[in-house]
Amino acid sequence: MKGKSTMNKISVGTISRTFVLFVALLNQFLTITGKNPLPFSEDEIYNGISMLLTAAASLWAWWKNNSFTKAAIAGDAYKEGYKYTNRGGIS
């Protein structure tokens, strides 16, 4: 078998869901034991979430192929046509 197996790759979604679950479980454990659960003010939580969303949107916009010029748009169309013909007409 050539190439790497996709079975061993862990998705970003899996990692992020696991992290959020861990934080929720830690918060619940601290609440049950009478400790101060994750001492953050509402403003700190708002600023943190806002920063994460801004960073995620920036990374997403940077990662995507954003074609603004006519040449870039024509290149994208050529690339899609090339992919289509090389897959035997399967889009």
Side-chain angles (χ1 to χ4, degrees), residues 20-43:
V20 169
L21 175 61
F22 174 75
V23 170
L25 290 172
L26 176 63
N27 188 35
Q28 189 63 36
F29 174 76
L30 291 172
T31 301
I32 290 170
T33 58
K35 306 275 193 273
N36 187 9
L38 307 176
F40 302 116
S41 70
E42 287 186 29
D43 287 339

Side-chain angles (χ1 to χ4, degrees), residues 3-20:
K4 294 183 179 180
S5 171
T6 57
M7 295 291 289
N8 294 331
K9 293 183 182 178
I10 299 173
S11 72
V12 174
T14 298
I15 292 171
S16 61
R17 287 187 298 272
T18 302
F19 177 75
V20 169

Side-chain angles (χ1 to χ4, degrees), residues 12-91:
V12 174
T14 298
I15 292 171
S16 61
R17 287 187 298 272
T18 302
F19 177 75
V20 169
L21 175 61
F22 174 75
V23 170
L25 290 172
L26 176 63
N27 188 35
Q28 189 63 36
F29 174 76
L30 291 172
T31 301
I32 290 170
T33 58
K35 306 275 193 273
N36 187 9
L38 307 176
F40 302 116
S41 70
E42 287 186 29
D43 287 339
E44 290 173 328
I45 292 171
Y46 173 80
N47 288 334
I49 290 173
S50 178
M51 181 186 69
L52 287 174
L53 290 175
T54 301
S58 299
L59 287 172
W60 179 57
W62 171 75
W63 185 262
K64 297 301 273 180
N65 182 14
N66 298 309
S67 300
F68 291 104
T69 65
K70 287 182 182 180
I73 293 168
D76 287 344
Y78 176 78
K79 178 184 69 174
E80 290 303 315
Y82 181 80
K83 284 182 183 179
Y84 182 78
T85 57
N86 285 333
R87 290 183 185 160
I90 300 172
S91 175

